[in-house]
Amino acid sequence: MTRIVAGFAGSLGLQVPKSGTRPTSDRVREAIFSALESRDAIRYARVLDLFAGSGALGLEAASRGASTVTLVERGSAAAAICRRNAAAVLQAAPAAAKPTIDVAATTVQSFLAASTAEFDLVFVDPPYELSDDELVHALKTLEPRLSAEAIVCVERSTRSGEPDWPAGLLLDRRKDYGETAVWWLSVDQPLRPSQPT
């Protein structure tokens, strides 16, 4: 059973697609969110969950205080489950602090190409069979949608090796959890010329 770990929807059970997705384990999700909370990176954040599956990562952020969450999932059955899970999370939310949760039933590339929104926290948890080239292409398309202080968490198999990250993203760290590797990326800020005094 996949559950929301903490926040206003803590312990709420989530539906999971029967096939075609690989849900992040509660243990890995708890470790990721503990690290994010230590950085104060969740409260009021604009969150994007790419390859959302059940939506567990984005909905965990919603439960912990994110202001907006967008779940992107191209599979129609999985997108329907994302909508049901989002509705359950919103039902548990306090009236004074309801986040906005949207589900986009489309491909990651189509969503990113059309979006004009800006995001502070992005989860990228693609199927393990997605090639590194496809992953890097998605990250390049994502770059213009990131705020200056954005954090991007990429989840891959430990057997996949390190992708060639796009020039606009910096690798902060990697943390392994069994068969799962989580890569933490930040926005590469170009040096600005010093201002005259």
Side-chain angles (χ1 to χ4, degrees):
M1 169 69 80
T2 297
R3 294 184 180 277
I4 298 292
V5 177
F8 65 70
S11 81
L12 177 73
L14 297 176
Q15 296 180 34
V16 175
K18 290 180 180 167
S19 62
T21 64
R22 181 186 38 77
T24 302
S25 74
D26 288 358
R27 182 178 79 89
V28 173
R29 204 157 16 99
E30 190 167 6
I32 289 171
F33 277 89
S34 176
L36 288 169
E37 285 189 328
S38 73
R39 297 184 183 198
D40 196 24
I42 304 172
R43 187 163 295 279
Y44 309 121
R46 298 162 295 177
V47 176
L48 178 62
D49 186 352
L50 300 176
F51 309 97
S54 66
L57 288 166
L59 297 175
E60 184 76 40
S63 179
R64 294 180 187 234
S67 62
T68 66
V69 174
T70 304
L71 310 174
V72 180
E73 173 54 56
R74 73 175 181 178
S76 57
I81 285 175
C82 282
R83 289 190 186 95
R84 290 198 290 274
N85 287 338
V89 167
L90 286 171
Q91 190 170 9
K98 276 193 189 293
T100 300
I101 304 175
D102 294 311
V103 178
T106 185
T107 66
V108 165
Q109 287 296 342
S110 295
F111 174 82
L112 292 174
S115 177
T116 57
E118 187 174 74
F119 300 97
D120 308 305
L121 177 58
V122 182
F123 300 105
V124 185
D125 185 12
Y128 281 166
E129 62 268 20
L130 188 84
S131 72
D132 281 353
D133 285 347
E134 291 173 291
L135 172 62
V136 171
H137 182 57
L139 291 172
K140 283 181 179 174
T141 314
L142 169 66
E143 276 183 67
R145 305 273 62 85
L146 297 175
S147 65
E149 303 298 322
I151 296 173
V152 180
C153 295
V154 179
E155 195 174 322
R156 296 287 273 165
S157 166
T158 53
R159 297 187 295 273
S160 295
E162 182 175 355
D164 292 325
W165 306 113
L169 293 172
L170 292 175
L171 176 63
D172 286 341
R173 66 182 177 123
R174 168 186 170 159
K175 182 75 174 171
D176 291 354
Y177 306 91
E179 293 290 307
T180 301
V182 179
W183 307 85
W184 295 72
L185 308 173
S186 60
V187 176
D188 187 7
Q189 297 289 341
L191 291 174
R192 294 183 180 160
S194 56
Q195 298 295 318
T197 54

